[in-house]
Amino acid sequence: MSVRAILPGATVGVLGSGQLGRMFAIAARRMGYRVHTFSPDRNSPTGQLADREIVAAYEDLDAVRAFAREVDVVTFEFENVAHAATLAAAEHAPVRPDGLVLHTTQHRLREKSFLTRVGVPVARHRAIDSLATLRAAVAELGTPAVLKTAGWGYDGKGQVRIAAPEQCEAAWQSLGGAEAVLEAFVDFAGEVSMVVARGSDGTVVDWGLIANEHRDHILDVSTAPAEVAPATLAQARDIARTIVEALELVGVLCVEFFALHDGSLLVNELAPRPHNSGHLTFDAAITSQFEQQLRAVCGLPLGSTALVRPAAMANLLGDLWQHGEPDWAAALRADTVKLHLYGKGDPRPGRKMGHLTALGDGAAQARATVLQARAALQRRD
Ligand code: AMP
């Protein structure tokens, strides 16, 4: 069913205040919307660009209600918001995607059960709630395996690799005894993702497959389009459509895949919002993932997802500041390189501070350019 459009001049509320919200706010303000952001942080990446920054805990449901009363629609950029908060927001404004989508995707077991129910392939896994179930699951699935907390995990946080059965006890203790899932280790050929959007009228579009390289479990470099067989792209599209239709998603969602050696795909995880691997759409696509999120949640027609040129993105982590301020001018010497900084004050190691995007005549060239630009940031004095 189509909904009444929320038009420029209206106010969009964003739960969360990080870089995803910042880029969303840039897209929204460009199109004449007002933006309010809600999170526990002050002077946040999103707040710096929003019309209003509301600082309160997600558990403060009265504050969430007050925030929702002031906006025309609520969306989010951070998925670890408790279900109670999205329900409180929904008392006063439409929440898109629906809070139930968050509820499913913020918990690895609920997410895997959902994927299995709709016929989407995932890695072999078992639910774990004690050391005994962990030992039994390791005996069944074999090693190596990966133990992950069921809730609130991202960027490899809350996960530990089990190389041999004797490591069960230490692994279980390191996760603090929280409800968890054990996954068989996937010997993948590569990792790819698909960012997909679904409009309020049910239209589904995607930006093709993006190739992702991780370092220390954190996304490092993304390249688009990914070099894959047509059958792999078709499988990804089919899976992405199945997921957003089953979730009745209105908004943007990223499907992260393991690409196996035979060209087939397993879903690793879902994020019901724009994703780090889709940042390159900001500079390389006719419509970025952020503008598309805005169009979807406001009930507007979706824009073209065509890439204007092949592109690559490299993340800039706090580690780059180790020897002082990076050499921004050096990175910008290649004239297709775009710099994005998130306005975060404290460059801690591992913290996502910004990214570079480069466009190229081909994906490999774009990747080489962005890596060269990032290398040039480090002063050698
Ligand atoms: P996640 O937070 O679950 O996305 O995991 C972060 C990264 O860890 C993934 O992108 C993979 O590189 C790696 N990883 C996670 N789970 C597995 C698995 N079952 N097999 C192999 N590698 C994994």
Side-chain angles (χ1 to χ4, degrees):
M1 194 186 68
S2 188
V3 296
R4 216 165 115 231
I6 295 163
L7 297 170
T11 303
V12 184
V14 181
L15 285 168
S17 64
Q19 59 269 18
L20 301 174
R22 182 184 181 91
M23 288 179 267
F24 175 83
I26 292 171
R29 293 192 71 145
R30 188 174 66 176
M31 283 177 59
Y33 287 85
R34 295 172 55 80
V35 177
H36 291 187
T37 173
F38 182 108
S39 84
D41 302 319
R42 198 173 295 283
N43 189 27
S44 61
T46 311
Q48 290 165 11
L49 288 172
D51 295 273
R52 275 194 70 197
E53 178 179 60
I54 291 113
V55 181
Y58 296 115
E59 295 75 29
D60 182 347
L61 300 186
D62 285 333
V64 172
R65 288 186 188 100
F67 158 76
R69 266 197 294 272
E70 301 285 311
V71 303
D72 297 286
V73 59
V74 172
T75 188
F76 44 84
E77 65 102 49
F78 172 70
E79 71 259 45
N80 288 337
V81 176
H83 193 44
T86 59
L87 288 176
E91 291 169 23
H92 300 284
V95 177
R96 297 184 188 136
D98 190 273
L100 268 178
V101 174
L102 235 74
H103 186 66
T104 303
T105 57
Q106 70 192 189
H107 188 273
R108 290 186 194 275
L109 281 170
R110 280 199 292 270
E111 181 173 282
K112 282 193 162 52
S113 321
F114 159 73
L115 291 168
T116 307
R117 186 157 43 78
V118 297
V120 168
V122 296
R124 291 189 302 137
H125 63 279
R126 294 288 179 274
I128 305 298
D129 60 4
S130 65
L131 179 55
T133 50
L134 175 60
R135 287 205 167 109
V138 166
E140 238 186 303
L141 298 184
T143 52
V146 188
L147 183 66
K148 303 178 178 181
T149 51
W152 316 114
Y154 66 97
D155 283 351
K157 291 188 174 72
Q159 58 177 274
V160 47
R161 196 181 143 127
I162 299 179
E166 328 48 282
Q167 294 172 359
C168 284
E169 190 163 354
W172 177 241
Q173 272 164 11
S174 78
L175 294 192
E179 187 187 15
V181 53
L182 183 78
E183 288 179 22
F185 194 77
V186 179
D187 172 31
F188 52 75
E191 292 186 83
V192 291
S193 58
M194 179 169 273
V195 183
V196 56
R198 184 169 173 273
S200 60
D201 62 353
T203 308
V204 177
V205 296
D206 68 72
W207 284 261
L209 272 173
I210 301 166
N212 299 320
E213 300 163 60
H214 291 81
R215 191 188 286 179
D216 298 331
H217 295 283
I218 301 177
L219 183 65
D220 186 37
V221 176
S222 291
T223 307
E227 233 180 90
V228 294
T232 305
L233 179 59
Q235 191 198 358
R237 288 216 153 106
D238 191 39
I239 288 174
R241 176 177 283 273
T242 300
I243 291 169
V244 295
E245 288 183 345
L247 291 173
E248 295 182 39
L249 180 110
V250 174
V252 168
L253 176 137
C254 177
V255 188
E256 290 184 68
F257 297 99
F258 296 129
L260 306 184
H261 295 280
D262 67 1
S264 69
L265 299 170
L266 295 181
V267 171
N268 172 25
E269 63 179 355
L270 308 178
R273 47 160 175 81
H275 188 259
N276 196 165
S277 61
H279 286 1
L280 50 80
T281 64
F282 199 109
D283 299 302
I286 291 180
T287 310
S288 74
Q289 59 173 352
F290 306 103
E291 181 180 332
Q292 205 77 293
Q293 179 184 15
L294 176 77
R295 286 172 175 242
V297 305
C298 288
L300 294 174
L302 300 184
S304 163
T305 53
L307 287 184
V308 180
R309 290 179 74 186
M313 184 257 4
N315 269 337
L316 305 178
L317 300 186
D319 313 59
L320 276 171
W321 275 251
Q322 234 170 19
H323 305 294
E325 190 71 11
D327 187 348
W328 304 120
L332 295 175
R333 251 172 233 138
D335 65 5
T336 70
V337 171
K338 301 287 196 171
L339 170 66
H340 297 252
L341 288 172
Y342 306 148
K344 297 181 184 178
D346 175 19
R348 292 190 300 273
R351 190 173 195 208
K352 289 177 181 171
M353 301 296 292
H355 68 268
L356 296 171
T357 305
L359 308 184
D361 293 333
Q365 192 209 6
R367 180 178 175 279
T369 305
V370 86
L371 289 179
Q372 210 168 30
R374 185 170 65 179
L377 284 174
Q378 301 238 261
R379 292 171 190 277
R380 278 174 279 270
D381 47 24

